[in-house]
Amino acid sequence: EAGVTQFPSHSVIEKGQTVTLRCDPISGHDNLYWYRRVMGKEIKFLLHFVKESKQDESGMPNNRFLAERTGGTYSTLKVQPAELEDSGVYFCASSRQGEADTQYFGPGTRLTVL
Amino acid sequence: AQSVTQLGSHVSVSEGALVLLRCNYSSSVPPYLFWYVQYPNQGLQLLLKYTSAATLVKGINDFEAEFKKSETSFHLTKPSAHMSDAAEYFCAVSKAAGTYKYIFGTGTRLKVLA
């Protein structure tokens, strides 16, 4: 089966611009998660979807970040307007319902805000 | 609150030598524990996980880890390092019973010397 895919793999934008990251989970996985790794730091949880519903968005840094998962399939994470501190690698992961303990990760999107 | 500490952001071993990557956790409830590996330009791949069954957990590529409650540790070992083991390794914790949010350590980059 295909793994978790993320697009784009890299994005370089200027401060104040908008960027949208996309994640396609493994087919049939109801749980979808977003994480972020700022350079040199740990990977941090951002939010969790179960199908199209936000189960937990306690890790979202601020209201410049908006995540959606319309139809319960792919998800987008929009940053508007982007700030320098938003630079990092954004990972998406998915898991089956009832197997939330094992998450499958995508390759990440490296975001650089200049 | 849960947390994970990985001792050593960089570890070097000679090819054929023992690999030991350290992970200590804190958790107020019995945890689930994970080791993930990230090879260059790839996503995080699950190496092994502990979910309250056997305390010695075997994973892929001859890696194993032992859950030691008294030491709050979950160190990763491999008897003989291969050049292909060079990667970044992440320890993560989540709560028992159906949670989803991973708390990661800061990662350990393993270098294997010829």
Side-chain angles (χ1 to χ4, degrees):
Chain A
E1 70 185 350
V4 176
T5 58
Q6 294 186 243
F7 181 83
S9 57
H10 293 83
S11 180
V12 181
I13 61 173
E14 295 193 351
K15 177 182 173 181
Q17 290 186 321
T18 297
V19 63
T20 301
L21 314 181
R22 173 170 169 144
C23 168
D24 286 77
I26 294 171
S27 178
H29 282 195
D30 288 337
N31 293 292
L32 187 149
Y33 321 80
W34 284 97
Y35 293 85
R36 177 174 74 171
R37 189 184 192 195
V38 173
M39 185 179 295
K41 303 285 185 70
E42 69 271 30
I43 301 169
K44 284 194 172 181
F45 169 83
L46 295 178
L47 86 161
H48 170 216
F49 284 99
V50 177
K51 297 184 180 178
E52 66 275 10
S53 299
K54 291 177 184 175
Q55 186 77 6
D56 181 352
E57 51 185 329
S58 62
M60 294 287 265
N62 51 61
N63 59 10
R64 295 186 293 103
F65 289 75
L66 176 63
E68 296 180 322
R69 193 183 182 195
T70 306
T73 54
Y74 72 91
S75 175
T76 57
L77 179 64
K78 179 189 286 188
V79 185
Q80 179 182 29
E83 298 289 345
L84 299 179
E85 64 265 24
D86 300 333
S87 295
V89 180
Y90 290 77
F91 292 101
C92 176
S94 69
S95 71
R96 295 181 190 281
Q97 192 61 19
E99 295 182 7
D101 61 307
T102 303
Q103 299 179 22
Y104 299 88
F105 284 77
T109 293
R110 182 174 296 276
L111 174 64
T112 302
V113 183
L114 302 176
Chain B
Q2 296 171 309
S3 67
V4 175
T5 301
Q6 290 185 241
L7 291 177
S9 58
H10 292 80
V11 170
S12 294
V13 299
S14 298
E15 191 174 20
L18 171 72
V19 176
L20 170 60
L21 303 183
R22 300 180 186 273
C23 174
N24 288 87
Y25 70 91
S26 68
S27 177
S28 58
V29 297
Y32 285 175
L33 292 157
F34 308 83
W35 277 100
Y36 281 82
V37 60
Q38 186 180 24
Y39 299 103
N41 301 316
Q42 296 186 29
L44 279 72
Q45 179 182 358
L46 180 67
L47 272 179
L48 48 81
K49 65 179 181 180
Y50 167 78
T51 56
S52 76
T55 57
L56 182 61
V57 181
K58 294 188 182 297
I60 62 173
N61 300 336
D62 295 326
F63 281 95
E64 64 181 36
E66 186 172 7
F67 171 67
K68 292 188 177 180
K69 184 178 179 181
S70 60
E71 299 177 9
T72 61
S73 69
F74 191 58
H75 302 330
L76 181 70
T77 60
K78 180 173 179 174
S80 176
H82 294 167
M83 298 297 290
S84 59
D85 295 326
E88 191 161 20
Y89 293 78
F90 296 91
C91 181
V93 64
S94 70
K95 290 188 298 183
T99 190
Y100 40 80
K101 184 188 303 185
Y102 282 7
I103 308 297
F104 282 92
T106 50
T108 297
R109 189 170 295 279
L110 177 66
K111 185 175 182 179
V112 181
L113 307 172

